[in-house]
């Protein structure tokens, strides 16, 4: 029996990044990433209960209400998380969330085999490589899946975001990366309508390895790809599909990547 989980909806005060607080002076160079700030907010609110994966949702123009919200998959409902935040969070962090509008919903305890869902997911399409596999990469380094494909083809780095250097199509390589992630986790089959709806490079703030005597891990600015996928997915194994949704897709899931957002599938033509 799979353990239940919930989707949380946390509407945010418009100036929530300011309430997360300025980073220490030696960290400021990497302070460019809202995903990292949302990670800090959740950690400050919930500590070890900090939910992942999550998605930072922004309403750009029009409408009323908060412009930003966090959607997250979590072990418990909003009552548990609001109580945890009241005990752990600083006043500034606590008021970054509009608690009176926060909500949750229980996710299915099982998904029917054969069920189809529409989906959207924002991913960081990177792979881990070893220097023994070529390309001049360090052991265990994290590499853009497209740059890794260039390495394998013997061409090295390069190429415009939307171009096809050396005949390699960045968009198709990212789609293949996504297909591989879903196949590796199992439990689902992607249908033929898989789309890459957005693609860009981002500068992300991340902690490096500890090298100081006090264990302080310096914040660094890293460049990574972002790709947003949409399409239709069909359940082939109920338990493994549950695990796929609960885990999320790819790396950096604690920083706003990888949350599979499901919706009713469009009727088949």
């Amino acid at each position: 029996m799979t353990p239940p989980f919930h989707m949380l909806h946390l509407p945010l005060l418009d100036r929530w990044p300011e309430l997360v607080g300025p980073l220490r002076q030696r960290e400021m160079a990497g302070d460019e990433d809202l995903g990292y700030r949302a990670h800090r907010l959740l950690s400050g609110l919930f500590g070890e209960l900090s939910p992942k994966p999550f998605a930072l949702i922004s309403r750009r123009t029009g409408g009323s209400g908060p412009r930003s919200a966090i959607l997250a998959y979590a072990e418990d409902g909003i009552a548990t998380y609001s109580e945890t935040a009241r005990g752990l969070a600083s006043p500034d962090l606590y008021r970054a969330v509009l608690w009176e509008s926060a909500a949750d919903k229980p996710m299915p305890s099982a998904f029917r085999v054969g069920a189809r869902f529409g989906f959207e997911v924002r991913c960081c399409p990177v792979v881990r490589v070893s220097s023994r596999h070529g390309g001049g990469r360090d052991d265990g380094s994290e590499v853009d899946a497209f740059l890794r494909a260039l390495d394998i083809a013997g061409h090295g780095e390069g190429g415009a975001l939307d171009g096809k250097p050396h005949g390699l199509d960045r968009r198709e390589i990212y789609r293949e990366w996504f297909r591989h992630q879903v196949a590796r986790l199992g439990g689902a089959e992607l249908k033929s309508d898989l789309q890459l709806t957005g693609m860009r490079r981002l500068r992300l703030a991340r902690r490096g390895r500890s090298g100081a005597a006090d264990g302080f891990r310096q914040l660094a600015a890293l460049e990574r790809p972002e790709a947003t996928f949409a399409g239709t997915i069909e359940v082939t194994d109920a338990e493994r599909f549950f695990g796929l949704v609960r885990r999320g897709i790819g790396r950096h899931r604690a920083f706003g990547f990888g949350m599979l957002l499901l919706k009713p599938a469009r009727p088949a033509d």
Side-chain angles (χ1 to χ4, degrees), residues 51-169:
K52 72 173 185 179
F54 73 85
L56 182 61
I57 308 299
S58 298
R59 175 177 56 79
R60 288 176 171 78
T61 58
S64 59
R67 289 197 292 260
S68 298
I70 290 174
L71 295 178
Y73 290 140
E75 300 301 326
D76 293 295
I78 196 65
T80 297
Y81 280 84
S82 60
E83 185 65 25
T84 299
R86 280 195 291 270
L88 290 181
S90 69
D92 276 353
L93 287 184
Y94 185 80
R95 65 193 179 97
V97 176
L98 302 173
W99 292 103
E100 66 278 7
S101 300
D104 65 15
K105 74 165 187 176
M107 295 296 289
S109 58
F111 292 90
R112 178 179 59 84
V113 172
R116 291 188 177 191
F117 300 95
F119 72 86
E120 183 174 36
V121 57
R122 172 180 176 257
C123 293
C124 185
V126 294
V127 296
R128 287 281 195 186
V129 300
S130 169
S131 59
R132 67 178 178 272
H133 293 149
R137 310 291 183 183
D138 294 332
D139 278 339
S141 62
E142 186 180 87
V143 181
D144 182 328
F146 175 69
L147 298 184
R148 178 58 180 156
L150 288 176
D151 283 346
I152 292 171
H155 299 304
E157 298 187 18
L161 194 63
D162 291 313
K164 297 182 181 180
H166 313 290
L168 296 176
D169 184 341

Side-chain angles (χ1 to χ4, degrees), residues 133-222:
H133 293 149
R137 310 291 183 183
D138 294 332
D139 278 339
S141 62
E142 186 180 87
V143 181
D144 182 328
F146 175 69
L147 298 184
R148 178 58 180 156
L150 288 176
D151 283 346
I152 292 171
H155 299 304
E157 298 187 18
L161 194 63
D162 291 313
K164 297 182 181 180
H166 313 290
L168 296 176
D169 184 341
R170 184 187 295 263
R171 301 179 69 88
E172 182 53 36
I173 286 169
Y174 287 166
R175 282 192 289 264
E176 186 57 33
W177 173 90
F178 185 77
R179 294 184 191 104
H180 173 75
Q181 296 295 313
V182 173
R184 182 177 63 85
L185 295 169
E189 176 184 321
L190 292 168
K191 310 315 287 184
S192 60
D193 62 344
L194 177 64
Q195 303 173 57
L196 197 161
T197 61
M199 181 176 65
R200 60 176 176 164
R201 290 192 181 99
L202 294 176
R203 288 175 64 81
L204 306 178
R206 294 293 183 271
R207 296 278 182 198
R209 295 176 181 174
S210 177
D214 61 0
F216 175 78
R217 293 188 299 153
Q218 183 73 39
L219 201 68
L222 309 176

